[in-house]
């Protein structure tokens, strides 16, 4: 999961991605259909929260929450001079 999220974030032009767990699961599965069973929307939020510290080591901040729907927000930290 960590590698899949890192690759997804590297492929984005924007710094922030905010999706529902179901939408993020679909996006990860689109990138690699073999991930379909690994990244179910039910387990995705739980597993991303567990690896939040590892994501931060790679410069990605993870925030999970609930507004109208549950969401997962991934933000690439930008380098400042």
């Amino acid at each position: 999961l960590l590698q899949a999220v890192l690759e997804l974030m590297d492929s984005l032009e924007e710094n922030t991605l905010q999706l529902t767990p179901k939408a993020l699961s679909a996006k990860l599965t689109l990138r690699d259909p073999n991930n379909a069973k690994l990244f179910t929307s039910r387990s995705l939020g739980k597993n991303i929260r567990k690896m939040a510290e590892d994501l931060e080591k790679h410069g990605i901040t993870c925030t999970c929450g609930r507004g109208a729907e549950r969401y997962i927000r991934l933000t690439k930290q930008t380098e400042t001079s």
Side-chain angles (χ1 to χ4, degrees):
L1 177 58
L2 178 63
Q3 189 61 38
V5 170
L6 293 174
E7 289 172 5
L8 174 64
M9 293 304 289
D10 282 344
S11 72
L12 299 176
E13 290 183 22
E14 59 272 3
N15 288 333
T16 299
L17 176 68
Q18 181 171 318
L19 297 169
T20 64
K22 183 176 181 178
L24 182 55
S25 175
K27 193 171 268 292
L28 292 171
T29 299
L30 265 176
R31 292 185 57 77
D32 184 352
N34 294 321
N35 294 333
K37 292 182 182 176
L38 298 175
F39 308 134
T40 64
S41 58
R42 182 174 293 265
S43 66
L44 192 59
K46 179 181 176 182
N47 290 329
I48 280 201
R49 283 189 298 276
K50 283 184 180 179
M51 65 179 212
E53 191 175 308
D54 292 328
L55 285 169
E56 289 212 18
K57 290 177 185 176
H58 291 278
I60 298 172
T61 302
C62 174
T63 306
C64 298
R66 186 175 182 100
E69 296 182 294
R70 287 192 170 131
Y71 65 85
I72 298 171
R73 180 184 306 130
L74 300 167
T75 306
K76 288 189 269 187
Q77 297 169 0
T78 57
E79 294 180 26
T80 55
S81 304

